[in-house]
Amino acid sequence: MNARHVLRFLTTRVATVVLVLAVVSFLTYAVFVLLPANPAAAACGKPCTPERLATAQAFMGLDKGPLQQWWDFVVGIFTGRTFGTGAAAIHCPAPCLGYSFQLREPVTTLIAARFPVTASIAIGAAILWLVIGVFAGTVAAVRRGTALDRGLMVAAVTGVSAPSYLVGLLGILLFGFTLDMVPVSGYVPFATSPVDWAWHLVLPWCVLALLSAAIYARLTRAQMIEALGSDYARTARAKGLPERRVVTRHALRNVTIPIITLFGLDLGVLLGGAVITEKVFSMPGMGALLLDAVSTTDLPLVVGITVFSAALIVVANLVVDLVYGVLDPRVRA
Amino acid sequence: MTLDHADELVAAPSSPGAARPARRETWWRVLRRDRFAFTGLLVVVGYVVVALTAPLFLGWLGVDPYTYHLDALDENGAPAGWGGGISAEHWFGVEPLTGRDLFAIVVMGSRASLAVGLGATAVAVLVGATLGVLAGYAGGWVDVLVSRIVDVLLGFPALVFMIALGAIIPLRFPHSPRILILVLVIGLFGWTSIARVVRAQSLTLRSLGFVRASRGLGAGSGHIVLRHVLPNLAATVVVFATISVPGAIGSEAALSFLGVGVQPPTPSWGRSIGDAVTWFSSDPMYLVFPGLALFGITLAFNAFGDGLRDALDPRAVRR
């Protein structure tokens, strides 16, 4: 692989990302802006005279056409925006994802305050689910046909079928209330106390991870069985390598590739799962912010969070693609 | 056409009618032997029967999910008595605060779950199969366009979008039924994997001998798609639809759990579980019964779907 190939690979991928983000933000904007729930009407107060409504709309930039509104939004991400003029003007510094007139805060600030919670849940759970899934799948494949294999696979089907919030609540009931081992709700920032941070996240991580791990265990098992029966595995055995080394060095590396592909597709699921987990464990993350914004019809906040999550997934997918390129020499050609 | 393809022309199921009875019997026998999958099928049929006959069944028992029974509650609003108020009158106990019969709520809840699960899957299959065949068979820019859309949607934070849409569409269409909104929103986010598989298979089918022969004999694209491509895709689509149902059921429950799905007083398992969050330290049964109902249908569909795949998909490894 030479530098020109890398550059071309990167340029195409980044161009796709930018295109996807533009389309996603436009669609989000179109769906939400074309709705009759007018944020200006909510901010206008009572009695709401037509003049006051018009002033509020102009202040929020809602008097322009839909395309112009979207463009203002996109430009605001890079340059910041100012709503209104004169003494009453509100400045929303770049990267501006909109302004919540109900909470009187830029959407970016609101998201930044909540995002560490969601990221803590999602990243910890993702690591745990990949480790457990690949490990369980490998064990089942190596011990194929034994009671251990059957037990793991029955557990996997059960895991796939159980909704995460249900398992989460039962987990709280058992480990939180009955055994009094872990905290049942809340979040402690990492900076305050790393130990308390992890202690509060143990149960959410396990709940979110175990359910998705089930799918990965099944995939790993199937792939591993195929890999262990392949010619290169036989060659490795023939040259006298112990089975353990054949599994870890030769088979596992090939199994990683479909796992990473699936993981890239599951990033959205991971984020959705984090939203549900936040609700179960009463954690003040981005999902909780979204649910609040939805119940108060805070449209700029809803749009901002939606576009931000889409961007997050698209960028994370780009990272997964790059990792993929490192792992699998064939895609680099 | 070279000679290598001659056997393909003969062996390919160009007249599906002749080969069909034997094949149907085979997959049914395979499924019948798979005890796990067959139990799943029986459970699914049981849920469907309960959902269809729920009002009659509950009327016959003399309970309904809407009547308040405040006499069944204690002074805190929690169900009075053991196990969330389980009694001869209220088999699963009652709902906290309202005293509505939990058995009736769980039984009626199957309707929302199955309606959204099956409805959304139908939407997803319709959209996914149509676009998949279109992309695979037509190729060219259609294929590029569909494949791009699929790529974008596949990695999407669908739940975040569904939360936003589930909350905002009712503002625009206040009188539209919530179930229909859920069917459309979940269905329109769920068609991508079906489209991908169908596209890949159409691509293969397009180059097979019997399709090429048909084209060579002067058949139009419409005829080929309807008579040759679609019949050969049927097994894949059926398997995928079955595997998709639990996901759609789970989405409905998740959205209702988060408070943006089925609205009260229509019973929904997801919403009951969501309501149970504040009660489950004192009344765990309020969580357990709707939870078990939801878990049961999802597990049954997954087991049945897995078995059906093994039975119908010739490439899948038989257990």
Side-chain angles (χ1 to χ4, degrees), chain A residues 120-161:
Chain A
S120 300
I121 298 174
I123 294 172
I127 293 173
L128 204 59
W129 107 24
L130 284 174
V131 170
I132 296 176
V134 171
F135 183 73
T138 307
V139 170
V142 172
R143 299 259 177 276
R144 180 150 57 119
T146 63
L148 181 66
D149 174 27
R150 274 195 299 275
L152 279 172
M153 286 306 112
V154 168
V157 179
T158 318
V160 171
S161 306

Side-chain angles (χ1 to χ4, degrees), chain A residues 114-126:
Chain A
R114 303 295 196 95
F115 183 62
V117 183
T118 310
S120 300
I121 298 174
I123 294 172

Side-chain angles (χ1 to χ4, degrees), chain A residues 43-268:
Chain A
C44 169
K46 286 171 187 162
C48 183
T49 60
E51 295 83 51
R52 279 186 60 124
L53 185 64
T55 319
Q57 269 182 333
F59 189 83
M60 296 179 181
L62 297 173
D63 53 338
K64 299 172 187 151
L67 205 61
Q68 182 65 42
Q69 286 189 38
W70 170 69
W71 183 245
D72 286 349
F73 176 81
V74 172
V75 170
I77 295 175
F78 297 101
T79 64
R81 289 176 79 175
T82 304
F83 295 93
T85 48
I90 296 169
H91 183 63
C92 171
C96 176
L97 286 167
Y99 189 88
S100 164
F101 294 97
Q102 290 186 23
L103 300 174
R104 301 183 186 283
E105 288 247 39
V107 171
T108 315
T109 317
L110 291 165
I111 292 178
R114 303 295 196 95
F115 183 62
V117 183
T118 310
S120 300
I121 298 174
I123 294 172
I127 293 173
L128 204 59
W129 107 24
L130 284 174
V131 170
I132 296 176
V134 171
F135 183 73
T138 307
V139 170
V142 172
R143 299 259 177 276
R144 180 150 57 119
T146 63
L148 181 66
D149 174 27
R150 274 195 299 275
L152 279 172
M153 286 306 112
V154 168
V157 179
T158 318
V160 171
S161 306
S164 61
Y165 40 91
L166 190 61
V167 177
L169 291 168
L170 293 175
I172 296 179
L173 197 62
L174 180 62
F175 296 106
F177 286 114
T178 312
L179 299 176
D180 201 14
M181 282 165 64
V182 290
V184 294
S185 68
Y187 174 78
V188 177
F190 186 78
T192 313
S193 159
V195 175
D196 270 353
W197 170 80
W199 196 229
H200 277 81
L201 282 165
V202 166
L203 207 49
W205 281 339
C206 291
V207 166
L208 193 49
L210 282 177
L211 301 174
S212 305
I215 302 169
Y216 286 71
R218 296 213 304 180
L219 180 68
T220 307
R221 178 179 178 274
Q223 295 285 336
M224 186 58 101
I225 287 174
E226 203 183 308
L228 287 176
S230 66
D231 287 344
Y232 65 80
R234 204 171 338 138
T235 311
R237 281 189 206 107
K239 66 181 187 186
L241 283 188
E243 188 66 22
R244 175 181 291 272
R245 207 169 162 78
V246 176
V247 171
T248 53
R249 275 300 160 88
H250 295 261
L252 202 56
R253 190 172 166 117
N254 277 284
V255 169
T256 324
I257 292 161
I259 297 284
I260 295 286
T261 313
L262 185 65
F263 185 66
L265 297 176
D266 270 351
L267 288 167

